[in-house]
Amino acid sequence: MLRALLLVFLALAGQAMAAPQAVLQRPIELDTGTGLLQGTLLRPKTGEAVPVALIIAGSGPTDRDGNNPMAGRNDSLRKLAELLARNGIASVRYDKRGIAASHAAGPDERHLSLEGYAADATAWGRRLKQDPRFSRLILIGHSEGSLIAGLAAQAAGADALVSIAGSARPIDELLREQLQARLPPPLLAESERILASLKAGRPVDDVPKALELLFRPSVQPYLISLFRQDPAQVYGRLSLPILVLQGSHDIQVAVADAERLKAASPHAELAIIPGMNHVLRIVPQDRRQQLASYANPHLPLARELGERILAFIRNLTDSRNAEIDR
Protein backbone atom coordinates (compact mmCIF):
# COMPACT_ATOMS: atom_id res chain seq x y z
CA MET A 1 0.00 0.00 0.00
CA LEU A 2 2.80 2.41 0.94
CA ARG A 3 4.62 1.71 -2.33
CA ALA A 4 1.42 2.31 -4.33
CA LEU A 5 0.92 5.69 -2.64
CA LEU A 6 4.55 6.62 -3.28
CA LEU A 7 4.24 5.81 -6.98
CA VAL A 8 1.08 7.92 -7.22
CA PHE A 9 2.99 10.81 -5.62
CA LEU A 10 5.89 10.40 -8.05
CA ALA A 11 3.54 10.27 -11.01
CA LEU A 12 1.84 13.48 -9.89
CA ALA A 13 5.21 15.13 -9.31
CA GLY A 14 6.29 14.10 -12.79
CA GLN A 15 3.08 15.43 -14.32
CA ALA A 16 3.63 18.76 -12.58
CA MET A 17 6.88 19.15 -14.54
CA ALA A 18 5.74 17.38 -17.67
CA ALA A 19 4.03 20.18 -19.61
CA PRO A 20 5.73 19.75 -23.00
CA GLN A 21 8.24 22.47 -23.71
CA ALA A 22 10.02 23.51 -26.86
CA VAL A 23 13.51 22.03 -26.80
CA LEU A 24 16.71 23.43 -28.28
CA GLN A 25 19.53 21.09 -29.28
CA ARG A 26 23.02 22.42 -29.92
CA PRO A 27 26.51 20.91 -30.23
CA ILE A 28 28.80 21.87 -27.40
CA GLU A 29 32.53 21.34 -26.97
CA LEU A 30 35.03 21.63 -24.17
CA ASP A 31 38.68 22.52 -24.70
CA THR A 32 40.47 20.75 -21.86
CA GLY A 33 43.87 22.04 -22.85
CA THR A 34 44.90 18.50 -23.74
CA GLY A 35 42.11 17.72 -26.17
CA LEU A 36 38.71 18.82 -27.44
CA LEU A 37 35.67 16.97 -26.09
CA GLN A 38 32.44 16.90 -28.10
CA GLY A 39 28.96 16.87 -26.61
CA THR A 40 25.28 17.70 -27.06
CA LEU A 41 23.34 20.37 -25.17
CA LEU A 42 19.59 19.98 -24.83
CA ARG A 43 17.67 22.71 -23.04
CA PRO A 44 14.13 23.98 -22.76
CA LYS A 45 13.41 27.10 -24.79
CA THR A 46 13.02 29.60 -21.97
CA GLY A 47 14.61 32.78 -20.72
CA GLU A 48 14.67 31.52 -17.15
CA ALA A 49 17.59 29.69 -15.56
CA VAL A 50 16.87 25.96 -15.38
CA PRO A 51 18.58 22.99 -13.71
CA VAL A 52 21.21 21.28 -15.86
CA ALA A 53 22.33 17.66 -15.74
CA LEU A 54 25.77 16.52 -16.82
CA ILE A 55 25.21 12.95 -18.06
CA ILE A 56 28.27 10.69 -17.83
CA ALA A 57 28.33 7.45 -19.81
CA GLY A 58 29.53 4.03 -18.72
CA SER A 59 32.63 1.97 -19.43
CA GLY A 60 34.47 1.07 -22.59
CA PRO A 61 33.65 2.74 -25.91
CA THR A 62 30.18 3.83 -24.75
CA ASP A 63 29.27 7.12 -26.41
CA ARG A 64 27.23 10.11 -25.23
CA ASP A 65 23.96 8.41 -26.23
CA GLY A 66 24.67 5.26 -24.21
CA ASN A 67 25.63 3.18 -27.24
CA ASN A 68 28.51 0.74 -27.36
CA PRO A 69 29.69 -0.73 -30.70
CA MET A 70 30.31 -4.08 -29.00
CA ALA A 71 26.74 -4.29 -27.66
CA GLY A 72 24.61 -2.27 -30.06
CA ARG A 73 22.53 0.88 -30.19
CA ASN A 74 19.96 1.45 -27.46
CA ASP A 75 20.05 5.27 -27.12
CA SER A 76 19.45 5.05 -23.36
CA LEU A 77 21.24 8.28 -22.44
CA ARG A 78 19.87 10.19 -25.42
CA LYS A 79 16.35 9.22 -24.37
CA LEU A 80 17.08 10.27 -20.79
CA ALA A 81 18.32 13.69 -21.98
CA GLU A 82 15.20 14.15 -24.10
CA LEU A 83 12.97 13.23 -21.16
CA LEU A 84 14.70 15.81 -18.98
CA ALA A 85 14.43 18.53 -21.62
CA ARG A 86 10.70 17.92 -22.12
CA ASN A 87 10.30 18.46 -18.39
CA GLY A 88 12.21 21.70 -18.06
CA ILE A 89 15.70 20.36 -17.30
CA ALA A 90 18.70 21.03 -19.53
CA SER A 91 21.45 18.47 -20.04
CA VAL A 92 24.88 18.02 -21.52
CA ARG A 93 26.04 14.57 -22.53
CA TYR A 94 29.43 14.08 -24.10
CA ASP A 95 31.76 11.56 -25.66
CA LYS A 96 34.53 10.82 -23.20
CA ARG A 97 38.15 11.36 -24.13
CA GLY A 98 39.19 8.74 -26.70
CA ILE A 99 35.58 7.77 -27.52
CA ALA A 100 33.53 8.47 -30.68
CA ALA A 101 33.67 12.19 -31.64
CA SER A 102 36.17 12.84 -28.81
CA HIS A 103 38.55 10.16 -30.08
CA ALA A 104 41.19 12.71 -31.06
CA ALA A 105 41.44 13.86 -27.42
CA GLY A 106 42.73 10.44 -26.39
CA PRO A 107 43.76 8.41 -29.44
CA ASP A 108 46.19 6.22 -27.47
CA GLU A 109 44.27 4.33 -24.80
CA ARG A 110 47.52 3.65 -22.93
CA HIS A 111 47.29 7.24 -21.70
CA LEU A 112 43.69 7.08 -20.46
CA SER A 113 42.90 6.92 -16.75
CA LEU A 114 39.88 7.10 -14.50
CA GLU A 115 41.36 10.19 -12.85
CA GLY A 116 41.59 11.81 -16.29
CA TYR A 117 37.94 11.06 -16.99
CA ALA A 118 37.01 12.53 -13.60
CA ALA A 119 39.03 15.67 -14.37
CA ASP A 120 37.16 16.06 -17.66
CA ALA A 121 33.80 15.70 -15.89
CA THR A 122 34.93 18.30 -13.36
CA ALA A 123 35.81 20.71 -16.17
CA TRP A 124 32.42 20.20 -17.82
CA GLY A 125 30.68 20.78 -14.49
CA ARG A 126 32.57 23.98 -13.73
CA ARG A 127 31.71 25.34 -17.16
CA LEU A 128 28.00 24.65 -16.65
CA LYS A 129 28.08 26.19 -13.16
CA GLN A 130 29.34 29.44 -14.70
CA ASP A 131 26.63 29.53 -17.39
CA PRO A 132 23.83 31.98 -16.42
CA ARG A 133 21.27 29.89 -18.34
CA PHE A 134 21.50 27.21 -15.63
CA SER A 135 20.66 27.07 -11.94
CA ARG A 136 21.32 23.77 -10.17
CA LEU A 137 24.02 21.39 -11.47
CA ILE A 138 23.22 17.68 -11.20
CA LEU A 139 25.72 14.99 -12.20
CA ILE A 140 24.07 11.84 -13.57
CA GLY A 141 26.42 8.88 -13.92
CA HIS A 142 25.45 5.57 -15.48
CA SER A 143 27.38 2.38 -14.67
CA GLU A 144 31.09 3.31 -14.53
CA GLY A 145 29.93 6.90 -15.04
CA SER A 146 28.50 6.69 -11.51
CA LEU A 147 32.04 6.38 -10.12
CA ILE A 148 33.33 9.17 -12.37
CA ALA A 149 30.47 11.40 -11.18
CA GLY A 150 31.29 10.62 -7.56
CA LEU A 151 34.94 11.52 -8.07
CA ALA A 152 34.07 14.77 -9.89
CA ALA A 153 31.09 16.00 -7.87
CA GLN A 154 32.83 18.06 -5.20
CA ALA A 155 35.40 19.74 -7.44
CA ALA A 156 32.76 20.45 -10.09
CA GLY A 157 30.57 22.22 -7.54
CA ALA A 158 27.65 19.87 -8.16
CA ASP A 159 24.45 20.51 -6.22
CA ALA A 160 23.36 16.87 -6.42
CA LEU A 161 24.29 13.51 -7.88
CA VAL A 162 22.28 10.69 -9.46
CA SER A 163 23.85 7.22 -9.68
CA ILE A 164 22.23 4.80 -12.11
CA ALA A 165 23.40 1.16 -12.06
CA GLY A 166 26.65 2.05 -10.34
CA SER A 167 28.82 -0.56 -8.66
CA ALA A 168 29.62 -0.07 -4.98
CA ARG A 169 32.53 -2.52 -5.11
CA PRO A 170 35.97 -2.02 -6.59
CA ILE A 171 35.53 -2.89 -10.25
CA ASP A 172 37.96 -5.80 -10.16
CA GLU A 173 35.54 -7.50 -7.75
CA LEU A 174 32.64 -6.85 -10.11
CA LEU A 175 34.63 -8.24 -13.04
CA ARG A 176 35.44 -11.40 -11.08
CA GLU A 177 31.75 -11.94 -10.44
CA GLN A 178 30.81 -11.37 -14.09
CA LEU A 179 33.57 -13.64 -15.42
CA GLN A 180 32.80 -16.44 -12.96
CA ALA A 181 29.71 -17.44 -14.90
CA ARG A 182 31.14 -16.87 -18.37
CA LEU A 183 34.61 -18.46 -18.53
CA PRO A 184 35.70 -22.10 -18.49
CA PRO A 185 37.96 -23.02 -15.54
CA PRO A 186 41.32 -22.62 -17.35
CA LEU A 187 40.48 -19.12 -18.60
CA LEU A 188 38.93 -18.22 -15.26
CA ALA A 189 42.22 -19.05 -13.56
CA GLU A 190 44.08 -16.90 -16.09
CA SER A 191 41.68 -13.99 -15.56
CA GLU A 192 42.19 -14.24 -11.81
CA ARG A 193 45.97 -14.12 -12.28
CA ILE A 194 45.68 -11.02 -14.46
CA LEU A 195 43.20 -9.27 -12.17
CA ALA A 196 45.40 -9.86 -9.13
CA SER A 197 48.42 -8.43 -10.91
CA LEU A 198 46.56 -5.33 -12.18
CA LYS A 199 45.04 -4.77 -8.75
CA ALA A 200 48.59 -4.65 -7.39
CA GLY A 201 49.51 -2.11 -10.06
CA ARG A 202 51.58 -4.52 -12.17
CA PRO A 203 50.91 -4.78 -15.94
CA VAL A 204 50.73 -8.25 -17.53
CA ASP A 205 52.46 -9.04 -20.82
CA ASP A 206 51.31 -12.63 -21.40
CA VAL A 207 47.54 -12.26 -21.92
CA PRO A 208 45.80 -15.30 -23.47
CA LYS A 209 44.28 -14.51 -26.87
CA ALA A 210 40.78 -15.31 -25.61
CA LEU A 211 41.13 -12.56 -22.97
CA GLU A 212 42.82 -9.91 -25.11
CA LEU A 213 39.65 -7.88 -25.67
CA LEU A 214 39.28 -7.33 -21.93
CA PHE A 215 42.92 -7.31 -20.79
CA ARG A 216 44.94 -6.15 -23.82
CA PRO A 217 48.17 -4.42 -22.71
CA SER A 218 47.06 -1.01 -24.04
CA VAL A 219 44.01 -0.92 -21.74
CA GLN A 220 45.81 -2.17 -18.65
CA PRO A 221 46.95 1.31 -17.43
CA TYR A 222 43.30 2.36 -17.40
CA LEU A 223 42.25 -0.79 -15.53
CA ILE A 224 44.98 -0.22 -12.95
CA SER A 225 43.66 3.30 -12.35
CA LEU A 226 40.10 1.97 -12.15
CA PHE A 227 40.90 -0.81 -9.69
CA ARG A 228 42.44 1.72 -7.28
CA GLN A 229 39.01 3.18 -6.51
CA ASP A 230 36.40 1.92 -4.05
CA PRO A 231 33.06 3.46 -5.13
CA ALA A 232 31.47 3.07 -1.69
CA GLN A 233 34.32 5.02 -0.12
CA VAL A 234 34.05 7.69 -2.83
CA TYR A 235 30.34 8.13 -2.12
CA GLY A 236 30.94 8.07 1.60
CA ARG A 237 33.05 11.23 1.31
CA LEU A 238 30.29 13.25 -0.39
CA SER A 239 28.01 15.65 1.45
CA LEU A 240 25.42 16.53 -1.18
CA PRO A 241 21.99 15.10 -2.05
CA ILE A 242 22.34 11.74 -3.83
CA LEU A 243 19.79 9.56 -5.60
CA VAL A 244 20.84 5.94 -6.12
CA LEU A 245 18.81 4.13 -8.79
CA GLN A 246 19.10 0.43 -9.58
CA GLY A 247 17.07 -1.99 -11.68
CA SER A 248 16.04 -5.33 -10.22
CA HIS A 249 16.73 -7.08 -13.56
CA ASP A 250 20.21 -5.68 -14.18
CA ILE A 251 22.48 -8.54 -15.28
CA GLN A 252 25.66 -6.47 -14.83
CA VAL A 253 25.26 -4.73 -11.47
CA ALA A 254 23.46 -6.13 -8.43
CA VAL A 255 20.83 -4.57 -6.19
CA ALA A 256 23.27 -5.17 -3.32
CA ASP A 257 25.63 -2.61 -4.93
CA ALA A 258 22.95 0.07 -4.79
CA GLU A 259 22.19 -0.83 -1.18
CA ARG A 260 25.86 -0.51 -0.31
CA LEU A 261 26.12 2.91 -1.98
CA LYS A 262 23.10 4.03 0.00
CA ALA A 263 24.61 2.71 3.23
CA ALA A 264 27.87 4.56 2.50
CA SER A 265 26.22 7.98 2.37
CA PRO A 266 23.70 9.39 4.85
CA HIS A 267 22.67 11.88 2.15
CA ALA A 268 21.52 9.23 -0.33
CA GLU A 269 18.04 8.15 -1.35
CA LEU A 270 17.66 4.64 -2.77
CA ALA A 271 15.15 3.40 -5.34
CA ILE A 272 15.08 -0.13 -6.72
CA ILE A 273 13.08 -0.12 -9.95
CA PRO A 274 11.26 -3.42 -10.54
CA GLY A 275 12.04 -5.01 -13.89
CA MET A 276 14.59 -2.41 -15.05
CA ASN A 277 17.81 -3.68 -16.60
CA HIS A 278 21.23 -2.14 -17.22
CA VAL A 279 20.14 -0.15 -20.28
CA LEU A 280 17.19 1.33 -18.38
CA ARG A 281 14.43 -0.75 -19.95
CA ILE A 282 11.82 -3.05 -18.43
CA VAL A 283 12.92 -6.50 -19.62
CA PRO A 284 12.35 -10.03 -18.28
CA GLN A 285 15.28 -11.82 -16.66
CA ASP A 286 15.57 -14.09 -19.71
CA ARG A 287 19.15 -13.63 -20.95
CA ARG A 288 18.23 -13.65 -24.64
CA GLN A 289 15.73 -10.83 -24.17
CA GLN A 290 18.17 -8.96 -21.94
CA LEU A 291 20.92 -8.97 -24.58
CA ALA A 292 18.46 -8.04 -27.33
CA SER A 293 17.45 -4.92 -25.40
CA TYR A 294 21.02 -3.60 -25.56
CA ALA A 295 20.54 -3.15 -29.31
CA ASN A 296 16.92 -1.96 -29.43
CA PRO A 297 16.54 1.84 -29.40
CA HIS A 298 12.76 1.56 -29.77
CA LEU A 299 12.11 0.23 -26.27
CA PRO A 300 10.91 3.00 -23.92
CA LEU A 301 12.84 3.90 -20.81
CA ALA A 302 11.52 2.49 -17.55
CA ARG A 303 8.81 4.93 -16.53
CA GLU A 304 9.71 4.96 -12.85
CA LEU A 305 13.29 5.93 -13.72
CA GLY A 306 12.09 9.22 -15.17
CA GLU A 307 9.60 9.80 -12.38
CA ARG A 308 12.24 9.32 -9.70
CA ILE A 309 14.80 11.60 -11.35
CA LEU A 310 12.27 14.35 -12.07
CA ALA A 311 10.93 14.26 -8.51
CA PHE A 312 14.48 14.37 -7.11
CA ILE A 313 15.49 17.38 -9.23
CA ARG A 314 12.18 19.13 -8.55
CA ASN A 315 12.78 18.76 -4.83
CA LEU A 316 16.20 20.42 -5.23
CA THR A 317 14.58 23.33 -7.04
CA ASP A 318 11.79 23.65 -4.46
CA SER A 319 14.36 23.59 -1.64
CA ARG A 320 16.35 26.37 -3.30
CA ASN A 321 13.22 28.50 -3.76
CA ALA A 322 12.35 27.99 -0.09
CA GLU A 323 15.85 29.19 0.90
CA ILE A 324 15.42 32.30 -1.27
CA ASP A 325 12.00 33.04 0.26
CA ARG A 326 13.48 32.91 3.75
Side-chain angles (χ1 to χ4, degrees):
M1 181 64 179
L2 181 61
R3 177 176 174 80
L5 289 173
L6 179 58
L7 290 179
V8 169
F9 168 77
L10 288 171
L12 290 174
Q15 289 172 9
M17 296 185 72
Q21 299 191 23
V23 174
L24 300 175
Q25 175 172 306
R26 299 286 186 271
I28 186 172
E29 59 185 30
L30 177 72
D31 188 348
T32 67
T34 56
L36 199 64
L37 304 183
Q38 303 291 338
T40 300
L41 167 64
L42 282 184
R43 67 178 182 90
K45 188 176 181 180
T46 175
E48 298 180 359
V50 297
V52 61
L54 179 66
I55 301 175
I56 305 170
S59 62
T62 304
D63 67 15
R64 73 186 83 176
D65 293 334
N67 300 325
N68 187 314
M70 295 186 292
R73 176 187 166 202
N74 61 77
D75 284 346
S76 55
L77 301 185
R78 179 180 67 80
K79 288 179 177 291
L80 177 58
E82 291 170 349
L83 170 70
L84 294 174
R86 290 195 301 269
N87 287 277
I89 300 165
S91 70
V92 167
R93 63 192 196 278
Y94 63 99
D95 294 328
K96 292 183 297 182
R97 186 181 297 265
I99 306 300
S102 299
H103 176 76
D108 188 340
E109 68 178 356
R110 291 175 298 180
H111 300 148
L112 298 177
S113 69
L114 188 72
E115 294 85 356
Y117 280 159
D120 289 340
T122 296
W124 277 112
R126 287 175 173 170
R127 172 173 174 177
L128 297 177
K129 285 286 285 188
Q130 295 169 358
D131 194 318
R133 294 174 297 179
F134 308 128
S135 55
R136 296 282 195 173
L137 170 65
I138 302 96
L139 302 191
I140 301 179
H142 175 250
S143 192
E144 187 178 287
S146 167
L147 175 55
I148 295 170
L151 290 168
Q154 185 173 346
D159 297 291
L161 189 157
V162 178
S163 167
I164 307 175
S167 173
R169 294 165 285 170
I171 305 302
D172 60 297
E173 294 182 19
L174 183 64
L175 271 176
R176 282 186 174 91
E177 180 179 284
Q178 293 175 349
L179 294 174
Q180 188 77 34
R182 292 170 173 80
L183 295 179
L187 279 180
L188 191 60
E190 284 294 291
S191 71
E192 173 57 36
R193 174 182 67 86
I194 295 169
L195 283 169
S197 183
L198 297 179
K199 179 71 172 181
R202 298 190 302 269
V204 177
D205 294 327
D206 54 331
V207 177
K209 189 172 183 60
L211 297 176
E212 278 185 351
L213 183 62
L214 183 58
F215 296 121
R216 59 193 179 277
S218 60
V219 82
Q220 289 182 25
Y222 182 79
L223 293 176
I224 289 171
S225 76
L226 180 61
F227 294 169
R228 281 196 292 262
Q229 300 293 337
D230 184 329
Q233 290 183 7
V234 170
Y235 271 65
R237 294 193 292 265
L238 299 176
S239 58
L240 72 168
I242 297 171
L243 175 62
V244 177
L245 296 171
Q246 178 62 44
S248 66
H249 286 186
D250 191 326
I251 61 173
Q252 293 184 237
V253 178
V255 168
D257 284 288
E259 293 171 339
R260 183 176 172 188
L261 283 182
K262 167 66 177 75
S265 174
H267 307 281
E269 302 173 26
L270 171 64
I272 308 300
I273 300 179
M276 189 177 80
N277 74 352
H278 198 69
V279 292
L280 317 183
R281 287 4 193 253
I282 301 298
V283 181
Q285 283 284 29
D286 174 71
R287 187 167 184 80
R288 181 183 59 81
Q289 294 183 67
Q290 283 280 338
L291 295 178
S293 72
Y294 282 60
N296 186 349
H298 304 296
L299 290 175
L301 295 182
R303 182 174 179 177
E304 189 179 343
L305 173 81
E307 291 171 346
R308 293 279 186 175
I309 294 175
L310 293 175
F312 177 72
I313 296 176
R314 178 182 178 139
N315 185 58
L316 294 173
T317 304
D318 289 345
S319 298
R320 184 187 190 200
N321 290 339
E323 291 172 5
I324 294 173
D325 290 341
R326 287 199 297 270

